[in-house]
Amino acid sequence: MGSNCLYNIDHVKLYGGELEASFKLEKYFHATASYVYQEYDVEDNSLEKEWTYYLPALLPKHKIKLLARYNLWQDGWLQLSGRYTGERDAQKGKKLDDYITVDMGFEQTFQFDGTEYSANVFVSNLTGTDYQEQSGYTMPKHVWGFQVGVKF
């Protein structure tokens, strides 16, 4: 039984780099930014003639993430984040478009009887971006959520 994907790792080189910066302004504002670059090389060999795609080609060359948190009041944080993912190949010769998503949320932590609790509300893809992380699977326009946590 065969596959239409090249798995011969001896002929593929994946490389790149990542930069990340983070800073705090007083105790009220925290921000982080990161950039990822990834590339691949494939050595020609006789095994690839019938292959339709390479797994490393499904990775975007460029990704950027931004995160900002602002302390509204005691242990209450408003969070805004954004993500850019560059164009990339998809199976069967298609391309997936680049996209930008924006997420927003609020987190409140508090102590009760010596235990730390947290409550979060959030919305992912705030702008309703139409995108696919994997070919053929459109992501939801918005994802709303609520989360409760306990730290032991």
Side-chain angles (χ1 to χ4, degrees):
M1 178 180 283
S3 169
N4 63 348
C5 179
L6 182 63
Y7 288 99
N8 195 339
I9 195 107
D10 293 342
H11 300 281
V12 177
K13 292 180 183 171
L14 182 62
Y15 57 92
E18 179 175 355
L19 295 172
E20 182 173 295
S22 182
F23 72 94
K24 292 182 181 182
L25 184 61
E26 300 285 326
K27 63 179 183 175
Y28 300 104
F29 182 76
H30 302 174
T32 302
S34 68
Y35 169 73
V36 174
Y37 173 80
Q38 44 199 7
E39 185 63 81
Y40 72 97
D41 287 324
V42 178
E43 181 182 308
D44 288 336
N45 64 65
S46 62
L47 300 173
E48 74 216 16
K49 291 180 181 175
E50 302 299 320
W51 308 113
T52 58
Y53 68 96
Y54 293 99
L55 288 175
L58 305 183
L59 300 172
K61 284 186 183 181
H62 306 281
K63 292 191 291 187
I64 299 171
K65 292 182 182 179
L66 304 171
L67 169 66
R69 289 172 48 99
Y70 183 75
N71 187 237
L72 295 172
W73 53 72
Q74 178 76 28
D75 299 325
W77 291 89
L78 179 65
Q79 180 171 295
L80 185 65
S81 64
R83 175 174 54 134
Y84 167 79
T85 302
E87 178 184 77
R88 64 229 178 269
D89 290 342
Q91 298 90 337
K92 308 290 183 183
K94 297 178 183 177
K95 289 252 185 213
L96 289 176
D97 293 332
D98 60 345
Y99 62 89
I100 296 174
T101 61
V102 177
D103 304 333
M104 187 171 153
F106 176 77
E107 175 184 45
Q108 179 68 52
T109 59
F110 53 93
Q111 299 275 333
F112 180 74
D113 200 24
T115 303
E116 184 177 316
Y117 296 88
S118 65
N120 302 290
V121 293
F122 61 89
V123 60
S124 298
N125 196 12
L126 185 64
T127 57
T129 300
D130 184 22
Y131 70 101
Q132 294 181 11
E133 288 184 358
Q134 297 293 322
S135 180
Y137 297 94
T138 301
M139 299 302 290
K141 288 287 182 192
H142 306 285
V143 175
W144 298 85
F146 178 75
Q147 179 180 353
V148 177
V150 178
K151 189 182 280 186
F152 296 100

